[in-house]
Amino acid sequence: MASRTLPVAIARRTLLSSRPARITPRTITSATRHPRNLFDFYRPALRIAGQRRALSSTARTRLADVKEDFDPRQQDREVDEVDVCIVGGGPAGLAAAIRLKQQANEAGNEDFRVLLLEKAGELGDHIVSGNVIEPSALNELLPDWNSENNPNRFEHTTPAREDRMRFLTQNSAIPLPKPPQMNNHGNYIISLNQLVKWLGERAEEIGVEIYPGFAASEILYDHEGSVKGVATNDLGISRDGKPKEFFERGMEFHARVTLLGEGCHGSLAKQVIKKYDLRRDSQHQTYGLGIKEIWEIQPEKFQSGLIVHSLGYPLPTDTYGGGWMYHFGDNMVSIGLVVGLDYPNPWLAPYGEFQKMKHHPMYKDVLEGGKCISYGARTLIEGGFQSIPKCSFPGGALIGDTAGFVNLPKIKGTHTAMRSGMLAAEAAWDALKGNTDGGTIFLYDYEDKLRSSSIWTELKQVRNMRPSFHTPLGLYGGIIYSGLEAYVLRGKAPWTLKHGKADHAATKTADECKKIEYPKPDGKISFDILTSVSRSGTNHEEDQPVHLQVEDWDAHAQKEWLKYQGVENRFCPAGVYEYVEDDSKDLGVRFQINAQNCVHCKTCDIKVPDQDINWTTPQGGEGPKYVLT
């Protein structure tokens, strides 16, 4: 179908995809709705070639006929052809988009089309991070990003002023020496949510086409098996898979180069990695779950630029992880806990551990009298150097956290994500210039650029720190070895340690482990999980196919319940999974998925022991709507 109808199609999809939904308590007996204003509904449709156009007649749409035997896949999809399609509006995707358009504009090729698809309703809505940013990549991409002489500079920065490292016991905080990798001199505490929105504005100014609310759900291949673009998911499908009266077919975006910047454990990246066997020369990836809150605290407790990291309590010694507290903005504090998802005890609940941590005197003294204003959760890459896959494939490449460029000992990944996007953009531009026959683009130069970049140097230097926590000495052995690496070996050891079992395989059975009882939240410092989810702004239409795919719910329960006693309910930080008492079932319980609560963290896809939960994208524009995360 001709691409000249694309503006109408975009507006129509925006109208259909932005329907208010609800957060569902575990018993699904009540709901809290979070409708957005009309401008939020229309805004993605108005972003075409970087300009907001009037909606006018685009609201008039032909509704699909509803037929019991109607197969949506038989209906044609709108098609748009672009030079480069980028999936994911995070730091990597936006950096790639900006660098591509910079090169095209410098060459006088203003018709060079760079299109970015983002599943969130607005850029930044799904972004969760610490975040203390090392500005090296940003300085290179946009040199005046923080200049007082730039009227469009990014204003929301808090210079890092003091670093503290603490080992926590239940009631005390023992000072630890700060590793050199954690020196934050010259860095800034920011909200990545705000930075991403600002980067989006800069991208639009130079001609990047940004379509928020478009969830890329399918990789498209040409007749040779190369990637030729992506398709977005269908709208207006009911929970039982039948088209509703406002059904709308997905759209196809064909591109000469497709860059996947979906973030950690991307749903499309999973498919591409498997199809092209991109992990053939690397170890498996390992992950952590980060849970975060933003608090407004009392002014007398605020210490602008203070950065605090902690190890130890409340996590057991066989579980990798740590907490943070950053003072930024005006009396704002970012506080969170990262739990390595290779933890063994299925009774452990990362959300419960985070609530316990906030009651430790070091954190509680700061939070008391304050107000929690935002909540978020997201998995993050922890595998480092050993787990980097091949990053290019026929027709495109992996960038940012999708590839796994987080420097874990440094607790930073934004600068490496952005730099990878910039390197991919440069490789793509050169490859496209040299490709005159229209054949498949291979970004071999991207792989070479990565290996000669600071990304490679950084990650190789710290490659042994994370896997050192798999020694028989556990936490303490890891701390000792990491200190040796940080101060003496500095990455020059002739060995490369291997990661332990994959995260899902590291889970022991419930009868092998001690049950953990978590204290009831007090509603002041700690909160129940549904209260927290309500602070995430999570929003899904209920009547759509469950995007957390489990082929057979009863069969899943038979495999998981007896061995792990509801591990899904405990590892999920949003109350999505539960086992409900049900005498009609042989187990006496019924497995249930409350997909409306999902904050898109993807923990389930990573941690479920039998690997039978597949996280896919819901309708575009849905999910969390984070603030200041």
Side-chain angles (χ1 to χ4, degrees), residues 441-473:
I441 300 291
F442 292 91
L443 299 184
Y444 299 120
D445 193 34
Y446 175 47
E447 298 278 1
D448 294 337
K449 286 177 179 290
L450 282 173
R451 282 163 177 76
S452 60
S453 72
S454 59
I455 299 173
W456 216 255
T457 304
E458 269 192 47
L459 297 186
K460 187 174 182 181
Q461 187 177 47
V462 300
R463 68 191 184 280
N464 287 327
M465 291 190 179
R466 175 64 176 94
S468 71
F469 285 82
H470 288 299
T471 68
L473 295 177

Side-chain angles (χ1 to χ4, degrees), residues 293 350-359 525-527 532:
E293 291 175 348
Y351 181 86
E353 299 293 322
F354 175 51
Q355 301 308 313
K356 281 172 60 178
M357 187 192 80
K358 290 186 294 176
H359 281 278
I525 300 295
S526 53
F527 309 99
S532 292

Side-chain angles (χ1 to χ4, degrees), residues 113-125:
R113 293 189 64 196
V114 179
L115 181 142
L116 185 147
L117 302 176
E118 167 55 41
K119 66 183 175 67
E122 286 292 326
L123 289 181
D125 282 1

Side-chain angles (χ1 to χ4, degrees), residues 90-107:
L94 287 164
I98 291 171
R99 188 71 193 104
L100 277 162
K101 285 300 290 184
Q102 285 175 339
Q103 294 173 103
N105 293 346
E106 289 166 4

Side-chain angles (χ1 to χ4, degrees), residues 165 177-183 407 409-410 458 460-466 468-469 477-493 495:
M165 189 76 181
K178 178 187 64 181
Q181 291 85 1
M182 297 179 70
N183 181 0
N407 185 327
K410 189 182 278 190
E458 269 192 47
K460 187 174 182 181
Q461 187 177 47
V462 300
R463 68 191 184 280
N464 287 327
M465 291 190 179
R466 175 64 176 94
S468 71
F469 285 82
I479 292 174
I480 293 170
Y481 184 87
S482 294
L484 180 66
E485 280 280 2
Y487 292 102
V488 180
L489 299 175
R490 297 181 181 273
K492 296 178 181 179
W495 57 81

